[in-house]
Amino acid sequence: MVKLATEADAALSSFYEEMRDKGAPRLRAAAWAAFSELGLPSRRVESWHYTDLKTAMSKPAPLATASHAALSLPRAHDSLRLITLDGVFRPDLSDIARLPDGVAVQSLRDALAQGELHVMSALASADIGAQDPTLALNSALMQDGVVVQIAPGAGIERTIELATVASAESAQSTYTRALVMLGEGAQATLIETLGAPLAAPSQDNSALVLRLAPKARVDLVTHLSGGVDRSIRVASLLVHLDAGATINSFALIEGEGLNRRQIFARLDGEKARAVFNGATLGRGRLHADTTLIVDHVKPDGQSREVFRNILDDESVGVFQGKVIVRPGAQKTDGAMQSKALLLSDQATMNNKPELEIFADDVQCGHGATCGRLDKDQLFYLSARGLPRREAEALLIEGFANETMEALEDEQLKTFLSERVSAWLSRRISR
Amino acid sequence: MLEIRNLHVSVGEREILKGLTLSVKAGEVAAIMGPNGTGKSTLSYVISGREGYDITQGEILLNGENLLSFEPNERAAKGVFLAFQYPVEIPGVATMTFLKAAMNAQRRARGEEELATPEFMKRVKDAAASLGVSQDMLRRPLNSGFSGGEKKRMDILQMALLQPKLGILDETDSGLDIDALRVVADGVNALRSPDRAFLVITHYQRLLDYIKPDTVHVMAKGRIQRSGGPELALELEKHGYQEYLAEEAA
């Protein structure tokens, strides 16, 4: 039995009682046992040192119940959209009918009920992120989500958007999980949209599991936005790369509230390649924690991480990056970089890059910097006629846009640049 | 056009400009020559409005208007252009985006219509062609990875596009080989006109072989010590700045 030590424990325990028989009981039970052992992470847990989830989640909001809201989300790009709304996959709101050949979609709920072995083992992802309490909680409590299977060799032209949205007008908790499996040599572009357009302080725990067979490739853009001051969002990305597989990803994080994005990637085949880039636009009291573990298991892998935090007002940025190179992973090539730009005296950045290298023939490096706008650059722009705020905006935009250079999809690049511009024009106008 | 009267400027406790007075007429190219560390760059920064300098006395008038009460961007819109000794690299900022933002910011400040994109493109193309600025340079982020010569050409390109009333060239020859110097000088010479003045700040006579000054002013000890015609530059080349520095020691 679980000790009912706190209000949070009691609430989470009742969520588990509600979800334990909703498919995959053994997976849930194991995850719940792991979570019960770990508990909600406080700052004493090293990997959560800069984000005090235990205090923030002292009063879990009620578990979301299926709504039938017909939410109209603005379409920012020409994508095929799969919507999970308030914890439930909504085929009626999604572009199911327009899916191309080679793409099979079902709800997580159905997938759990059917219990197909390869889907279940991919979902469980037992080999990565197992020590994280919030991921364990997600496994124990996952309500619904979407499972996408892309056939071997399929090259999917249209972007597939996985939108996980909270729309309730009162506070709620959601636990969602999406799984995308790419067959050998398959190729797809994904957008992961995590947002809460309404003003309720929701508590959302989502996970996206990507499983790439040999030589598969995913281009992924994550856009995390919305939220209010007291909302909590934990978004996990689990990536499993087989030999010669590639992920090229970028995340734009904005909005409000407490946000934790964590990436667990395992390069489990030779010549796997991973790019995790991202930019955070911090304003108000946004707390944006990006924590990643990139685990090189096999030889000749390559990983690149470039993260930039742009922090205004009282916002807080966190970057914790750990690159692990296992004994067998010779010739690993890894480079990790985190740069922060502080736009106000009250903004805070916490940088913690780490390398754990157990192989002797590798090339790995990391760097972390934190600074203000460059006075010489500002003067140069002002001397050419740009007013102070415009000069600042141009420099900030440049700082953010550099992280997007690795993106190949022009439409996505434009979409992201427009988000950065919108954020900046709010800064100029106030 | 430019009137500087009794200018005193300090950085912290140290006074750098000590009562500098200088007058430059429209159409004139005035060379300011002097030894290192005498405040030549300070003068160019103070005219263009850089932070960090205390102006304790004096005034700088451009066409009768005191520049000191304006921000750098306002001074730019009024016609001040500083070609930097070391133009900064700004990675991430596209050169074309910057050029358009700068031109339109100045136009807005003067109450003029913004430039439409085709007209903007045409002007950049024409100016780039005459200065040997390649399409590749225009496509790169501003000054990023440019050689010293490329940076200077980019600065002169900006001057050609912004059409200032007063162009200040701060040690433009530093870091340039003869070929690059010639291109830059040709660019400046092409911009000479009866309603535009230049302040050419340099340590060496060399630059003045390419940009022929109308007047030469010797600056030492934080002020103009002597003014004359082009022959003064040749005299300095022969005798150096010793006599002006020696006065200080006395």
Side-chain angles (χ1 to χ4, degrees):
Chain A
M1 280 306 288
V2 177
K3 286 182 297 195
L4 299 183
T6 63
E7 188 179 342
D9 290 336
L12 294 173
S13 188
S14 75
F15 296 173
Y16 177 61
E17 290 307 319
E18 197 175 328
M19 296 309 303
R20 64 187 303 170
D21 59 353
K22 305 258 178 13
R26 275 186 299 176
L27 172 60
R28 289 182 193 272
W32 180 250
F35 172 74
S36 303
E37 191 72 29
L38 298 163
L40 283 173
S42 70
R43 296 179 61 121
R44 280 200 293 270
V45 176
E46 199 194 340
S47 59
W48 284 83
H49 182 68
Y50 301 103
T51 300
D52 187 354
L53 191 69
K54 190 172 178 141
T55 301
M57 259 186 74
S58 58
K59 289 186 196 329
L63 200 58
T65 49
S67 74
H68 300 283
L71 187 72
S72 75
L73 280 176
R75 249 176 218 281
H77 19 64
D78 177 32
S79 59
L80 297 165
R81 198 150 64 177
L82 303 171
I83 296 180
T84 299
L85 181 61
D86 298 326
V88 179
F89 176 55
R90 293 287 298 271
D92 57 318
L93 303 177
S94 302
D95 298 322
I96 297 288
R98 297 197 292 141
L99 290 171
D101 289 344
V103 180
V105 170
Q106 64 180 151
S107 72
L108 179 81
R109 207 176 284 222
D110 289 348
L112 292 177
Q114 287 165 17
E116 274 186 81
L117 193 62
H118 73 291
V119 175
M120 295 305 285
S121 74
L123 266 174
S125 268
D127 51 353
I128 38 181
Q131 290 306 307
D132 184 73
T134 58
L135 196 55
L137 202 54
N138 183 283
S139 300
L141 303 181
M142 52 188 166
Q143 298 167 283
D144 202 359
V146 62
V147 174
V148 180
Q149 297 189 60
I150 297 174
I156 308 304
E157 294 277 322
R158 291 281 292 278
T159 299
I160 299 173
E161 180 180 359
L162 308 167
T164 303
V165 183
S167 77
E169 285 171 28
S170 58
Q172 64 175 14
S173 296
T174 65
Y175 292 84
T176 55
R177 179 167 293 204
L179 167 66
V180 180
M181 303 174 74
L182 286 98
E184 184 160 354
Q187 204 166 337
T189 302
L190 305 176
I191 304 176
E192 181 192 24
T193 304
L194 300 168
L198 296 179
S202 60
Q203 300 177 359
D204 301 304
N205 179 328
S206 66
L208 170 59
V209 183
L210 300 179
R211 196 106 192 162
L212 278 70
K215 295 195 178 118
R217 176 184 170 119
V218 158
D219 289 87
L220 168 71
V221 166
T222 295
H223 181 217
L224 214 145
S225 68
V228 293
D229 202 28
R230 280 168 41 248
S231 56
I232 299 169
R233 183 185 286 112
V234 178
S236 304
L237 172 65
L238 283 74
V239 183
H240 190 284
L241 299 173
D242 220 320
T246 299
I247 178 167
N248 181 20
S249 75
F250 178 84
L252 181 67
I253 295 168
E254 53 179 332
E256 290 178 55
L258 182 152
N259 290 273
R260 159 93 164 193
R261 181 164 185 263
Q262 45 187 12
I263 298 171
F264 302 97
R266 189 173 164 96
L267 283 72
D268 209 359
E270 291 183 12
K271 293 185 179 165
R273 191 167 176 273
V275 176
F276 298 107
N277 292 349
T280 296
L281 306 173
R283 165 175 296 153
R285 304 203 309 163
L286 175 75
H287 176 103
D289 176 340
T290 293
T291 293
L292 63 92
I293 298 177
V294 176
D295 194 351
H296 288 268
V297 182
K298 293 278 163 64
D300 296 314
Q302 190 189 60
S303 60
R304 293 284 180 273
E305 297 84 26
V306 177
F307 283 87
R308 300 226 164 149
N309 275 264
I310 295 157
L311 303 171
D312 207 349
D313 302 332
E314 297 167 58
S315 59
V316 177
V318 178
F319 175 78
Q320 300 185 104
K322 185 191 281 188
V323 174
I324 303 171
V325 182
R326 304 277 170 194
Q330 299 294 4
K331 304 278 183 200
T332 289
D333 169 11
M336 176 164 61
Q337 184 203 66
S338 165
K339 282 190 184 177
L341 188 54
L342 300 178
L343 301 176
S344 106
D345 291 338
Q346 283 78 43
T348 311
M349 180 67 202
N350 304 287
N351 262 323
K352 198 175 96 181
E354 285 177 276
L355 298 174
E356 278 183 15
I357 300 176
F358 303 101
D360 52 14
D361 184 14
V362 301
Q363 198 171 12
C364 282
H366 66 68
T369 63
C370 193
R372 294 177 177 278
L373 286 169
D374 184 290
K375 282 204 171 106
D376 290 339
Q377 293 181 341
L378 275 176
F379 175 64
Y380 189 90
L381 297 178
S382 307
R384 295 294 176 257
L386 291 167
R388 176 92 190 184
R389 283 276 170 175
E390 272 184 55
E392 289 178 358
L394 206 56
L395 292 180
I396 298 166
E397 196 166 19
F399 184 77
N401 286 348
E402 272 187 286
T403 56
M404 298 175 196
E405 280 166 9
L407 283 174
E408 286 168 19
D409 187 318
E410 288 302 320
Q411 209 186 356
L412 282 177
K413 246 187 200 171
T414 306
F415 165 70
L416 293 167
S417 301
E418 281 170 3
R419 297 303 311 163
V420 174
S421 303
W423 189 88
L424 285 169
S425 47
R426 261 184 69 190
R427 185 169 189 271
I428 292 176
S429 65
R430 65 181 182 166
Chain B
M1 169 159 297
L2 176 70
E3 286 285 338
I4 302 176
R5 293 179 190 151
N6 190 30
L7 188 65
H8 288 259
V9 175
S10 303
V11 174
E13 293 293 295
R14 203 161 75 92
E15 188 169 54
I16 294 175
L17 299 186
K18 304 167 182 173
L20 185 140
T21 294
L22 175 69
S23 174
V24 183
K25 292 191 202 64
E28 182 178 328
V29 173
I32 308 268
M33 298 184 71
N36 288 329
T38 198
K40 300 194 300 295
S41 284
T42 297
L43 176 63
S44 67
Y45 285 145
V46 169
I47 297 172
S48 47
R50 187 173 192 138
E51 285 178 358
Y53 298 94
D54 292 330
I55 290 107
T56 51
Q57 224 182 317
E59 56 188 0
I60 303 175
L61 304 174
L62 184 70
N63 293 324
E65 200 171 20
N66 192 351
L67 287 179
L68 293 175
S69 53
F70 296 104
E71 294 294 322
N73 58 303
E74 294 169 318
R75 298 184 198 196
K78 289 180 188 302
V80 175
F81 182 94
L82 170 63
F84 285 69
Q85 183 174 4
Y86 301 109
V88 294
E89 298 197 12
I90 310 190
V93 173
T95 299
M96 293 300 272
T97 306
F98 156 74
L99 290 176
K100 197 169 182 205
M103 287 174 81
N104 281 334
Q106 292 202 13
R107 295 177 74 89
R108 277 200 307 277
R110 293 193 293 258
E112 298 166 11
E113 286 278 305
E114 290 195 12
L115 278 181
T117 303
E119 174 62 19
F120 162 75
M121 297 296 284
K122 184 180 176 303
R123 290 191 190 191
V124 174
K125 212 176 137 197
D126 292 350
S130 64
L131 282 161
V133 170
S134 65
Q135 287 301 306
D136 177 58
M137 278 169 70
L138 290 173
R139 269 194 293 266
R140 276 191 269 166
L142 185 57
N143 291 333
S144 277
F146 285 22
S147 69
E150 287 174 329
K151 285 179 186 168
K152 296 285 166 78
R153 271 188 279 155
M154 183 55 76
D155 251 27
I156 304 304
L157 171 75
Q158 291 167 34
M159 182 154 73
L161 291 170
L162 294 168
Q163 297 278 317
K165 293 198 173 75
L166 172 68
I168 306 167
L169 308 180
D170 185 6
E171 306 270 3
T172 287
D173 49 335
S174 66
L176 293 190
D177 60 28
I178 288 294
D179 292 332
L181 184 59
R182 201 186 303 271
V183 174
V184 167
D186 287 350
V188 173
N189 288 329
L191 290 168
R192 291 177 80 148
S193 93
D195 51 9
R196 180 172 295 134
F198 285 94
L199 212 51
V200 180
I201 294 173
T202 183
H203 183 80
Y204 300 106
Q205 148 72 23
R206 184 179 77 151
L207 178 65
L208 304 181
D209 291 338
Y210 298 93
I211 303 173
K212 300 258 185 254
D214 299 305
T215 55
V216 174
H217 308 267
V218 183
M219 185 170 168
K221 300 193 303 175
R223 41 167 115 168
I224 302 298
Q225 301 288 349
R226 194 173 156 199
S227 299
E231 73 286 351
L232 184 51
L234 298 171
E235 192 183 308
L236 287 169
E237 183 77 354
K238 211 177 285 173
H239 302 297
Y241 296 109
Q242 212 50 45
E243 93 182 76
Y244 304 98
L245 293 171
E247 277 172 42
E248 186 174 28

